[in-house]
Amino acid sequence: MSDRERNKKRLLELLQTAGTGNAHCADCGAPDPDWASYKLGIFICLNCSGVHRNFPDISKVKSVRLDFWEDSTVEFMTRNGNLRVKAKYEARVPAFYYIPQANDCLVLKEQWIRAKYERQEFMADGKTIPPPGNREGFLWKRGRDNAQFLRRRFVLLSKEGLLKYYTKEEGKYPKAVISIKDLNATFQTEKIGNPHGLQITYRKEGHTRNLFVYHESGKEIVDWFNALRAARLQYLKLTFPELPESELVPLITRNYVKQGFMEKTGPKQREPFKKRWFALDSQERRLLYYKNPLRKFVFTCPTEKEQREWLRSLRDVLSCPMTPLNLLTTSTESGRSR
C-alpha cells in the first residue's frame, strides 16, 4: 500500500473513531465531513471549508479523499480532532449566542467560524466579552409599500425589553416600538433577496408584523441578531424564573419548521390563486404568509412532494405539546379578546 493510500485510510478511520466528534463537521454539525483544516486539526464540511479558505493564516484546508497527506499532518489530526479543538475554541460560548446548523445561511456560519478561530471570542483564557446589552445603529429596512430598502436607525433597550426604529436619523419619536416579549428574529436570505437578510417578526394588537432588514457587514447583522437573542433570554429568565436556562434557550428565537411558496385563494375561495411565501412556526403554532396571519384559504403546492412535506410538517407541529411560552401567549390573547 502506498503512503498516499495508507494515510487516506488513517484519515477515514479517524472520521469514524468514537469519542472524537469527527463524524460531524466541527463548525455546523453536518454529517460525514469530507474536508479538514490541517492547521487547526478539525474535520469540516465542504461549505465550512469555503469559509476557512478566507483566512489562510489561521486555517488551511485539504480534501480528506482527494489531496495528498503527509505522515506528520495525519499525526497532527490524530492528536487533535473535533472535540478537543472545540473544547479550546468554544470554552465560553454565551447561552444566547446562536450556533449555526448545517441548514443555516452562510453569513451565520461565516461569523461563527470567524468568532471562534479568527477573533477567538470564546476561548477560556481570552478577553472577557460583556453581554450585548443596549445597541444602537443603522440597518437597511424594506419599505412597506415598495421593495426599496431605506436606511433606518434602530435602538435596542435590553433592560426595558424594547426595540425601536426611527425614520429620521436624529428623530425623537420612533416609528415603531416593539416588545421583546413577542419578538422573533430569523435569517431569511432567499425571501429578502440579500445574503445578510434578517426577518424580525413581532405581535401588535393581535396581528403579526414583519420587518425585513439587512446590513452590508456580515458581522454587524449577526451581532444584531445575537443582541436580540440576549435581550430575549433576559426576558425569558424574568418571566420563567423556575425554569433552568437549558429549557429557555430553545425559546429565544426559532427557525421556521417549513417555508416555501404556495398559491392561495382569498377567504371566499372564488378569487384567483396568488403566489405567496408561507412559514410554519412551531413555537407559536401558527401558519403565516408573508405578512398576515392565516385565515381560511384553499392552497395548492407546486408538486405533490411539496404538499406531502407541508402536511407532514403541520402534523408534527400540531402533535407537539405546548410550551410555557405558548400558554403565556394564549392566555394573554384570550384576555385581550374578552
Side-chain angles (χ1 to χ4, degrees):
M1 183 184 293
S2 66
D3 290 347
R4 182 187 186 97
E5 290 301 316
R6 185 182 70 252
N7 283 336
K8 177 181 175 181
K9 183 174 182 291
R10 291 174 64 191
L11 288 169
L12 293 175
E13 289 173 350
L14 278 178
L15 284 171
Q16 302 304 322
T17 302
T20 63
N22 295 340
H24 292 83
C25 175
D27 295 324
C28 74
D32 305 318
D34 266 342
W35 292 77
S37 168
Y38 62 93
K39 196 166 184 179
L40 292 169
I42 55 175
F43 293 92
I44 53 180
C45 68
L46 175 62
N47 288 333
C48 290
S49 73
V51 179
H52 281 257
R53 290 181 187 276
N54 292 327
F55 42 93
D57 53 326
I58 296 171
S59 179
K60 293 184 178 180
V61 300
K62 280 187 177 184
S63 168
V64 171
R65 299 174 185 274
L66 302 178
D67 289 324
F68 175 77
W69 288 76
E70 296 179 352
D71 292 349
S72 59
T73 312
V74 176
E75 288 298 330
F76 178 76
M77 297 297 298
T78 304
R79 291 195 305 270
N80 288 278
N82 288 6
L83 288 184
R84 288 180 181 176
V85 176
K86 284 163 72 74
K88 175 183 177 181
Y89 287 99
E90 299 180 23
R92 298 186 309 163
V93 181
F96 63 81
Y97 196 98
Y98 185 82
I99 299 176
Q101 304 301 304
N103 292 330
D104 280 313
C105 62
L106 180 60
V107 69
L108 278 171
K109 295 177 184 178
E110 179 184 21
Q111 292 307 314
W112 166 239
I113 291 169
R114 288 188 176 277
K116 282 202 294 182
Y117 309 119
E118 189 177 48
R119 299 192 292 269
Q120 299 185 355
E121 294 180 7
F122 313 124
M123 292 178 65
D125 56 354
K127 183 173 70 174
T128 301
I129 300 175
N134 295 345
R135 187 176 185 87
E136 182 173 346
F138 291 92
L139 298 173
W140 291 93
K141 173 190 170 294
R142 192 167 74 181
R144 219 175 143 183
D145 300 324
N146 54 53
Q148 288 187 336
F149 281 85
L150 303 171
R151 193 168 182 261
R152 296 291 183 248
R153 180 165 66 97
F154 282 77
V155 177
L156 173 63
L157 302 174
S158 181
K159 187 176 180 181
E160 292 83 351
L162 297 174
L163 174 67
K164 304 178 181 181
Y165 83 86
Y166 298 78
T167 55
K168 297 181 179 179
E169 292 191 7
E170 302 300 328
K172 293 183 179 180
Y173 304 104
K175 176 68 174 177
V177 179
I178 302 165
S179 171
I180 290 295
K181 168 182 173 293
D182 300 315
L183 181 145
N184 184 47
T186 179
F187 278 89
Q188 298 292 331
T189 58
E190 180 185 353
K191 185 196 304 184
I192 296 173
N194 187 283
H196 300 165
L198 182 69
Q199 176 179 338
I200 300 172
T201 303
Y202 61 99
R203 302 281 292 168
K204 182 180 180 181
E205 298 175 353
H207 297 286
T208 299
R209 298 285 183 261
N210 292 303
L211 302 178
F212 300 104
V213 299
Y214 76 89
H215 195 279
E216 299 91 338
S217 164
K219 182 179 184 303
E220 182 71 11
I221 196 67
V222 173
D223 284 350
W224 266 103
F225 176 57
N226 281 307
L228 291 171
R229 284 178 56 84
R232 277 278 300 166
L233 181 57
Q234 181 175 308
Y235 157 75
L236 291 169
K237 285 182 173 180
L238 292 173
T239 307
F240 306 107
E242 72 283 0
L243 294 181
E245 186 176 76
S246 60
E247 292 186 24
L248 297 177
V249 168
L251 306 178
I252 299 177
T253 58
R254 68 273 182 194
N255 294 325
Y256 295 119
V257 174
K258 172 70 178 170
Q259 295 186 86
F261 285 107
M262 289 195 290
E263 294 186 354
K264 59 167 280 297
T265 66
K268 295 181 181 179
Q269 301 178 17
R270 292 196 295 268
E271 299 87 344
F273 281 89
K274 295 180 180 180
K275 190 176 182 180
R276 294 290 184 261
W277 181 279
F278 284 82
L280 179 59
D281 186 339
S282 60
Q283 185 169 302
E284 291 289 331
R285 304 170 73 88
R286 299 178 190 274
L287 177 61
L288 308 173
Y289 76 92
Y290 71 109
K291 60 182 179 180
N292 291 323
L294 198 63
R295 290 180 289 172
K296 294 181 179 178
F297 300 102
V298 176
F299 306 109
T300 66
C301 294
T303 64
E304 289 187 10
K305 179 176 179 292
E306 279 283 304
Q307 184 187 55
R308 289 194 298 270
E309 289 178 356
W310 273 108
L311 290 172
R312 183 171 61 250
S313 298
L314 283 164
R315 283 194 292 266
D316 289 345
V317 170
L318 292 173
S319 65
C320 291
M322 296 186 76
T323 67
L325 200 58
N326 292 149
L327 297 171
L328 178 64
T329 303
T330 301
S331 63
T332 301
E333 292 181 350
S334 297
R336 188 161 44 223
S337 63
R338 289 195 187 103

